[in-house]
Protein backbone atom coordinates (compact mmCIF):
# COMPACT_ATOMS: atom_id res chain seq x y z
CA UNK A 1 0.00 0.00 0.00
CA UNK A 2 1.79 3.12 -1.18
CA UNK A 3 -0.83 5.69 -2.21
CA UNK A 4 -2.85 8.07 -0.13
CA UNK A 5 -6.21 7.00 -1.59
CA UNK A 6 -5.92 3.53 -0.08
CA UNK A 7 -5.10 4.66 3.46
CA UNK A 8 -8.68 4.24 4.70
CA UNK A 9 -8.63 0.59 3.68
CA UNK A 10 -5.10 -0.08 4.89
CA UNK A 11 -5.32 1.75 8.21
CA UNK A 12 -7.27 -0.87 10.13
CA UNK A 13 -5.12 -3.73 8.83
CA UNK A 14 -1.73 -2.09 9.33
CA UNK A 15 -2.40 -0.60 12.76
CA UNK A 16 -4.07 -3.79 13.93
CA UNK A 17 -1.11 -5.84 12.73
CA UNK A 18 1.23 -3.83 15.02
CA UNK A 19 -0.75 -5.25 17.97
CA UNK A 20 -0.72 -8.85 16.81
CA UNK A 21 0.33 -11.61 19.21
CA UNK A 22 3.07 -12.73 16.82
CA UNK A 23 6.25 -10.67 16.88
CA UNK A 24 6.87 -11.26 13.18
CA UNK A 25 3.47 -9.77 12.32
CA UNK A 26 4.01 -6.79 14.61
CA UNK A 27 7.39 -6.20 13.00
CA UNK A 28 5.88 -6.33 9.50
CA UNK A 29 3.17 -3.88 10.56
CA UNK A 30 5.73 -1.44 11.98
CA UNK A 31 7.86 -1.69 8.83
CA UNK A 32 4.79 -0.93 6.71
CA UNK A 33 4.03 2.13 8.84
CA UNK A 34 7.55 3.29 8.16
CA UNK A 35 6.88 3.14 4.42
CA UNK A 36 3.44 4.78 4.39
CA UNK A 37 3.38 6.60 7.74
CA UNK A 38 4.06 9.97 6.16
CA UNK A 39 0.57 9.79 4.63
CA UNK A 40 -1.20 9.91 7.99
CA UNK A 41 1.41 10.95 10.50
CA UNK A 42 -0.78 11.16 13.61
CA UNK A 43 -2.17 7.64 13.25
CA UNK A 44 1.23 6.20 12.38
CA UNK A 45 3.03 7.90 15.26
CA UNK A 46 0.36 6.79 17.72
CA UNK A 47 0.75 3.17 16.60
CA UNK A 48 4.54 3.40 16.78
CA UNK A 49 4.43 4.87 20.30
CA UNK A 50 2.51 1.79 21.42
CA UNK A 51 5.44 -0.38 20.34
CA UNK A 52 8.21 1.53 22.16
CA UNK A 53 8.14 -1.02 24.97
CA UNK A 54 7.51 -4.07 22.82
CA UNK A 55 8.97 -7.20 24.39
CA UNK A 56 10.63 -8.20 21.12
CA UNK A 57 13.86 -6.37 20.27
CA UNK A 58 13.39 -6.84 16.52
CA UNK A 59 10.06 -5.02 16.70
CA UNK A 60 11.73 -2.12 18.55
CA UNK A 61 14.47 -2.08 15.91
CA UNK A 62 11.74 -1.74 13.30
CA UNK A 63 10.23 1.14 15.26
CA UNK A 64 13.61 2.95 15.13
CA UNK A 65 13.82 2.56 11.36
CA UNK A 66 10.20 3.61 10.90
CA UNK A 67 10.74 6.74 12.98
CA UNK A 68 13.80 7.52 10.86
CA UNK A 69 11.70 7.34 7.70
CA UNK A 70 8.88 9.47 9.10
CA UNK A 71 11.41 12.06 10.30
CA UNK A 72 11.72 13.34 6.75
CA UNK A 73 8.17 14.73 6.96
CA UNK A 74 7.69 15.08 10.73
CA UNK A 75 11.12 15.66 12.32
CA UNK A 76 9.85 16.91 15.68
CA UNK A 77 7.39 14.07 16.27
CA UNK A 78 9.80 11.41 14.99
CA UNK A 79 12.55 12.98 17.09
CA UNK A 80 10.49 12.42 20.24
CA UNK A 81 10.13 8.74 19.34
CA UNK A 82 13.87 8.42 18.77
CA UNK A 83 14.63 10.17 22.08
CA UNK A 84 12.55 7.55 23.90
CA UNK A 85 14.40 4.76 22.06
CA UNK A 86 17.84 6.08 23.07
CA UNK A 87 17.15 4.73 26.57
CA UNK A 88 16.19 1.28 25.21
CA UNK A 89 17.85 -1.57 27.17
CA UNK A 90 19.08 -3.14 23.92
CA UNK A 91 22.28 -1.36 22.83
CA UNK A 92 21.55 -2.06 19.15
CA UNK A 93 18.28 -0.13 19.41
CA UNK A 94 19.69 2.74 21.46
CA UNK A 95 22.71 3.13 19.19
CA UNK A 96 20.63 3.20 16.01
CA UNK A 97 18.24 5.75 17.55
CA UNK A 98 21.18 7.98 18.43
CA UNK A 99 22.56 7.75 14.90
CA UNK A 100 19.18 8.63 13.36
CA UNK A 101 18.79 11.60 15.71
CA UNK A 102 22.12 12.94 14.45
CA UNK A 103 20.70 12.78 10.89
CA UNK A 104 17.61 14.90 11.56
CA UNK A 105 17.58 17.59 8.87
CA UNK A 106 15.53 20.05 10.89
CA UNK A 107 18.12 21.97 12.98
CA UNK A 108 15.81 23.05 15.83
CA UNK A 109 14.49 19.48 16.11
CA UNK A 110 18.07 18.16 16.04
CA UNK A 111 19.25 20.51 18.81
CA UNK A 112 16.23 19.69 20.98
CA UNK A 113 16.57 15.95 20.45
CA UNK A 114 20.29 15.94 21.19
CA UNK A 115 19.82 18.10 24.27
CA UNK A 116 17.37 15.57 25.71
CA UNK A 117 18.91 12.35 24.39
CA UNK A 118 22.62 12.86 25.03
CA UNK A 119 22.52 12.85 28.85
CA UNK A 120 20.67 9.53 28.83
CA UNK A 121 23.01 8.05 26.22
CA UNK A 122 26.13 9.17 28.10
CA UNK A 123 24.84 7.39 31.19
CA UNK A 124 24.12 4.18 29.27
CA UNK A 125 25.67 0.94 30.56
CA UNK A 126 26.67 0.17 26.95
CA UNK A 127 30.15 1.34 26.00
CA UNK A 128 29.14 1.56 22.32
CA UNK A 129 26.23 3.89 23.11
CA UNK A 130 28.37 6.05 25.39
CA UNK A 131 31.09 6.32 22.75
CA UNK A 132 28.59 7.33 20.07
CA UNK A 133 27.05 9.92 22.39
CA UNK A 134 30.47 11.34 23.20
CA UNK A 135 31.32 11.56 19.49
CA UNK A 136 28.08 13.48 18.87
CA UNK A 137 28.77 15.79 21.79
CA UNK A 138 32.22 16.60 20.39
CA UNK A 139 30.53 17.89 17.20
CA UNK A 140 28.31 20.34 19.06
CA UNK A 141 29.41 23.92 19.79
CA UNK A 142 30.92 24.38 23.25
CA UNK A 143 28.50 25.81 25.80
CA UNK A 144 27.86 25.48 29.52
CA UNK A 145 26.45 22.05 30.32
CA UNK A 146 22.98 21.65 31.77
CA UNK A 147 22.67 19.91 35.14
CA UNK A 148 21.58 16.72 33.37
CA UNK A 149 24.55 16.78 31.02
CA UNK A 150 26.91 17.57 33.90
CA UNK A 151 25.67 14.52 35.83
CA UNK A 152 25.74 12.36 32.70
CA UNK A 153 29.37 13.22 31.94
CA UNK A 154 30.31 12.32 35.51
CA UNK A 155 28.53 8.96 35.06
CA UNK A 156 30.27 8.43 31.73
CA UNK A 157 33.63 9.11 33.37
CA UNK A 158 32.96 6.60 36.16
CA UNK A 159 31.87 3.91 33.69
CA UNK A 160 34.68 4.47 31.19
CA UNK A 161 37.80 2.37 31.34
CA UNK A 162 40.88 4.12 32.79
CA UNK A 163 43.06 5.64 30.10
CA UNK A 164 42.02 7.10 26.76
CA UNK A 165 38.28 6.57 27.24
CA UNK A 166 38.24 8.60 30.45
CA UNK A 167 40.51 11.26 28.95
CA UNK A 168 38.01 11.79 26.12
CA UNK A 169 35.16 12.22 28.59
CA UNK A 170 37.18 14.74 30.60
CA UNK A 171 38.06 16.73 27.47
CA UNK A 172 34.35 17.12 26.64
CA UNK A 173 33.55 17.93 30.28
CA UNK A 174 36.09 20.76 30.20
CA UNK A 175 34.84 22.03 26.83
CA UNK A 176 31.25 22.18 28.09
CA UNK A 177 32.18 23.53 31.54
CA UNK A 178 30.87 20.44 33.34
CA UNK A 179 32.45 20.41 36.79
CA UNK A 180 31.28 17.06 38.20
CA UNK A 181 33.37 14.84 35.91
CA UNK A 182 36.52 16.89 36.52
CA UNK A 183 35.92 16.83 40.27
CA UNK A 184 35.52 13.04 40.13
CA UNK A 185 38.74 12.70 38.13
CA UNK A 186 40.62 14.87 40.63
CA UNK A 187 39.63 12.31 43.31
CA UNK A 188 40.68 9.35 41.17
CA UNK A 189 43.05 6.77 42.68
CA UNK A 190 45.20 7.26 39.57
CA UNK A 191 47.61 10.19 39.82
CA UNK A 192 47.76 10.68 36.04
CA UNK A 193 43.98 11.17 35.89
CA UNK A 194 44.18 13.69 38.73
CA UNK A 195 46.90 15.61 36.90
CA UNK A 196 44.91 15.52 33.64
CA UNK A 197 41.81 16.92 35.37
CA UNK A 198 43.81 19.72 36.99
CA UNK A 199 45.48 20.59 33.68
CA UNK A 200 42.02 20.93 32.06
CA UNK A 201 40.87 23.12 34.95
CA UNK A 202 43.96 25.30 34.45
CA UNK A 203 43.02 25.87 30.79
CA UNK A 204 39.39 26.69 31.53
CA UNK A 205 39.21 28.01 35.12
CA UNK A 206 35.80 28.42 36.76
CA UNK A 207 34.98 29.44 40.32
CA UNK A 208 33.11 26.15 40.82
CA UNK A 209 36.44 24.30 40.40
CA UNK A 210 37.96 25.97 43.48
CA UNK A 211 37.05 23.23 46.01
CA UNK A 212 38.57 20.61 43.69
CA UNK A 213 41.85 22.54 43.39
CA UNK A 214 42.03 23.30 47.13
CA UNK A 215 41.63 19.59 47.92
CA UNK A 216 44.31 18.67 45.35
CA UNK A 217 46.80 21.07 46.98
CA UNK A 218 47.05 18.68 49.93
CA UNK A 219 47.39 15.42 47.96
CA UNK A 220 50.30 13.11 48.81
CA UNK A 221 51.50 12.81 45.21
CA UNK A 222 53.98 15.65 44.49
CA UNK A 223 53.04 15.73 40.80
CA UNK A 224 49.38 16.22 41.67
CA UNK A 225 50.21 19.01 44.12
CA UNK A 226 52.34 20.71 41.46
CA UNK A 227 49.47 20.47 38.95
CA UNK A 228 47.11 21.90 41.58
CA UNK A 229 49.37 24.92 42.12
CA UNK A 230 49.51 25.50 38.36
CA UNK A 231 45.70 25.34 38.19
CA UNK A 232 45.35 27.65 41.20
CA UNK A 233 47.07 30.58 39.44
CA UNK A 234 44.50 31.22 36.67
CA UNK A 235 41.68 30.34 39.09
CA UNK A 236 42.80 32.74 41.83
CA UNK A 237 41.04 35.86 40.44
CA UNK A 238 37.76 33.92 40.29
CA UNK A 239 37.88 32.39 43.78
CA UNK A 240 40.36 34.34 45.94
CA UNK A 241 38.65 33.60 49.26
CA UNK A 242 39.15 29.85 48.82
CA UNK A 243 42.57 29.78 47.16
CA UNK A 244 44.52 32.56 48.88
CA UNK A 245 44.90 30.88 52.31
CA UNK A 246 46.49 27.62 51.08
CA UNK A 247 48.67 29.44 48.52
CA UNK A 248 49.91 31.92 51.13
CA UNK A 249 50.77 29.05 53.48
CA UNK A 250 52.65 27.22 50.76
CA UNK A 251 54.45 30.37 49.60
CA UNK A 252 55.63 31.06 53.16
CA UNK A 253 56.80 27.51 53.87
CA UNK A 254 60.57 27.15 53.25
CA UNK A 255 60.24 23.36 53.48
CA UNK A 256 57.73 23.18 50.61
CA UNK A 257 59.24 22.18 47.26
CA UNK A 258 56.40 24.16 45.63
CA UNK A 259 57.12 27.43 47.42
CA UNK A 260 58.30 29.10 44.21
CA UNK A 261 55.33 27.82 42.19
CA UNK A 262 52.97 29.11 44.88
CA UNK A 263 54.61 32.55 44.72
CA UNK A 264 54.09 32.65 40.95
CA UNK A 265 50.45 31.60 41.41
CA UNK A 266 49.95 34.44 43.91
CA UNK A 267 51.13 36.86 41.24
CA UNK A 268 47.90 36.11 39.31
CA UNK A 269 45.82 37.95 41.94
CA UNK A 270 44.02 40.81 40.17
CA UNK A 271 44.12 43.17 43.17
CA UNK A 272 47.14 44.39 45.11
CA UNK A 273 46.37 42.62 48.39
CA UNK A 274 48.73 43.51 51.29
CA UNK A 275 49.30 39.90 52.36
CA UNK A 276 50.14 38.84 48.80
CA UNK A 277 52.39 41.85 48.23
CA UNK A 278 54.22 41.15 51.49
CA UNK A 279 54.92 37.53 50.50
CA UNK A 280 56.29 38.55 47.09
CA UNK A 281 58.46 41.35 48.48
CA UNK A 282 59.90 38.96 51.09
CA UNK A 283 60.65 36.37 48.40
CA UNK A 284 62.42 39.00 46.25
CA UNK A 285 64.88 39.55 49.13
CA UNK A 286 65.63 35.89 49.90
CA UNK A 287 69.09 34.41 49.56
CA UNK A 288 67.73 31.57 47.39
CA UNK A 289 67.85 32.81 43.79
CA UNK A 290 65.06 30.38 42.82
CA UNK A 291 62.67 32.27 45.10
CA UNK A 292 63.84 35.63 43.76
CA UNK A 293 63.23 34.37 40.23
CA UNK A 294 59.71 33.25 41.20
CA UNK A 295 59.07 36.69 42.71
CA UNK A 296 60.30 38.33 39.49
CA UNK A 297 57.92 36.19 37.45
CA UNK A 298 55.02 36.94 39.81
CA UNK A 299 55.62 40.71 39.64
CA UNK A 300 55.03 40.56 35.89
CA UNK A 301 51.37 39.61 36.53
CA UNK A 302 50.72 41.26 39.88
CA UNK A 303 49.11 44.75 39.97
CA UNK A 304 51.76 47.25 40.96
CA UNK A 305 54.48 44.64 40.61
CA UNK A 306 56.40 46.42 37.87
CA UNK A 307 57.77 49.08 40.25
CA UNK A 308 59.34 46.29 42.32
CA UNK A 309 61.23 44.83 39.37
CA UNK A 310 64.02 47.45 39.38
CA UNK A 311 66.20 45.77 42.06
CA UNK A 312 65.72 42.39 40.40
CA UNK A 313 66.96 43.76 37.07
CA UNK A 314 70.35 44.19 38.82
CA UNK A 315 70.27 40.84 40.64
CA UNK A 316 73.59 38.92 40.65
CA UNK A 317 71.84 35.77 39.36
CA UNK A 318 71.38 35.71 35.57
CA UNK A 319 68.17 33.66 35.83
CA UNK A 320 66.62 36.29 38.10
CA UNK A 321 67.59 39.16 35.78
CA UNK A 322 66.19 37.26 32.81
CA UNK A 323 62.90 36.65 34.64
CA UNK A 324 62.70 40.34 35.57
CA UNK A 325 63.23 41.42 31.96
CA UNK A 326 60.59 38.97 30.77
CA UNK A 327 58.13 40.27 33.36
CA UNK A 328 58.83 43.84 32.32
CA UNK A 329 58.15 42.89 28.69
CA UNK A 330 54.92 41.16 29.73
CA UNK A 331 53.79 44.24 31.63
CA UNK A 332 54.67 46.44 28.65
CA UNK A 333 52.50 44.33 26.32
CA UNK A 334 49.58 43.65 28.66
CA UNK A 335 49.07 46.99 30.47
CA UNK A 336 49.03 49.86 27.96
CA UNK A 337 46.90 51.99 30.32
CA UNK A 338 49.54 51.70 33.05
CA UNK A 339 52.26 52.65 30.58
CA UNK A 340 50.43 55.82 29.60
CA UNK A 341 49.74 56.72 33.22
CA UNK A 342 53.45 56.39 34.02
CA UNK A 343 54.49 58.22 30.87
CA UNK A 344 56.40 55.20 29.58
Amino acid sequence: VRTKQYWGIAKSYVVQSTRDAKASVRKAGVETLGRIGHLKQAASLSALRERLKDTNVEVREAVVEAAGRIARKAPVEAGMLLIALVSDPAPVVALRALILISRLSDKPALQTALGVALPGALGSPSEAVRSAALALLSRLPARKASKDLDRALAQAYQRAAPGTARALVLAEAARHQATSALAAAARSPYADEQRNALALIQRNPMASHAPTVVAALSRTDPGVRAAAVQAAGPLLPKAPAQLLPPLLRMAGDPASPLQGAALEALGKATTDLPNVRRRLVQAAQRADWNLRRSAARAFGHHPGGVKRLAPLLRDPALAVRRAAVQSLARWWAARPADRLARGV
Side-chain angles (χ1 to χ4, degrees):
V1 179
R2 292 182 180 275
T3 57
K4 190 172 183 178
Q5 66 197 72
Y6 296 124
W7 174 256
I9 302 171
K11 176 182 175 182
S12 58
Y13 290 105
V14 177
V15 173
Q16 189 175 352
S17 69
T18 64
R19 300 167 183 156
D20 196 88
K22 292 183 179 179
S24 58
V25 176
R26 296 199 304 276
K27 179 183 175 184
V30 168
E31 289 173 342
T32 303
L33 281 179
R35 289 194 293 271
I36 65 173
H38 62 283
L39 301 177
K40 289 290 182 180
Q41 294 167 8
S44 301
L45 290 166
S46 177
L48 290 174
R49 274 193 291 271
E50 292 179 16
R51 302 270 60 85
L52 287 174
K53 301 296 182 183
D54 198 284
T55 54
N56 186 278
V57 67
E58 291 186 3
V59 174
R60 301 199 302 277
E61 284 185 80
V63 173
V64 173
E65 299 301 333
R69 284 173 174 265
I70 293 173
R72 299 166 192 167
K73 297 289 184 179
V76 175
E77 295 82 357
M80 296 307 293
L81 278 175
L82 292 169
I83 287 170
L85 288 160
V86 167
S87 59
D88 194 278
V92 65
V93 175
L95 187 58
R96 184 61 178 160
L98 201 57
I99 291 170
L100 290 175
I101 284 175
S102 71
R103 294 178 182 173
L104 289 173
S105 57
D106 184 278
K107 286 191 176 180
L110 172 63
Q111 294 295 329
T112 301
L114 286 176
V116 177
L118 282 178
L122 286 166
S124 170
S126 166
E127 183 181 354
V129 174
R130 292 197 308 272
S131 296
L134 200 63
L136 280 177
L137 185 62
S138 69
R139 289 162 49 189
L140 295 180
R143 60 182 178 184
K144 186 169 176 56
S146 65
K147 289 183 179 179
D148 288 341
L149 182 57
D150 183 73
R151 283 193 295 267
L153 283 165
Q155 280 185 322
Y157 166 78
Q158 297 289 2
R159 286 179 167 171
T164 304
R166 282 189 168 181
L168 291 173
V169 175
L170 292 180
E172 285 306 306
R175 200 169 70 89
H176 290 276
Q177 301 176 34
T179 59
S180 297
L182 291 168
R187 297 189 300 268
S188 167
Y190 304 104
D192 58 339
E193 288 188 6
Q194 295 180 46
R195 291 193 297 270
N196 184 28
L198 291 164
L200 290 169
I201 290 172
Q202 179 185 353
R203 291 181 208 137
N204 188 22
M206 295 170 55
S208 53
H209 291 311
T212 299
V213 175
V214 170
L217 286 169
S218 58
R219 294 280 192 270
T220 55
D221 186 279
V224 173
R225 290 201 308 276
V229 174
Q230 293 296 321
L235 191 57
L236 182 58
K238 298 176 183 290
Q242 293 168 278
L243 289 166
L244 270 178
L247 286 175
L248 285 168
R249 283 195 301 273
M250 193 176 287
D253 181 7
S256 173
L258 296 172
Q259 187 180 14
L263 287 166
E264 293 180 37
L266 286 173
K268 303 290 177 63
T270 52
T271 54
D272 191 9
L273 300 172
N275 49 1
V276 173
R277 183 173 64 248
R278 187 165 50 251
R279 278 277 186 267
L280 296 179
V281 170
Q282 289 171 352
Q285 299 168 350
R286 291 290 177 83
D288 186 344
W289 67 267
N290 286 294
L291 293 181
R292 298 199 305 275
R293 180 179 61 180
S294 294
R297 288 172 175 169
F299 283 142
H301 297 281
H302 191 258
V306 68
K307 61 187 178 184
R308 298 182 178 89
L309 283 172
L312 297 171
L313 289 168
R314 298 186 295 273
D315 195 277
L318 174 62
V320 177
R321 298 198 301 274
R322 182 185 292 117
V325 170
Q326 290 170 343
S327 288
L328 189 61
R330 187 181 301 112
W331 170 82
W332 178 275
R335 297 179 182 273
D338 286 357
R339 296 205 315 266
L340 291 173
R342 292 170 183 269
V344 178

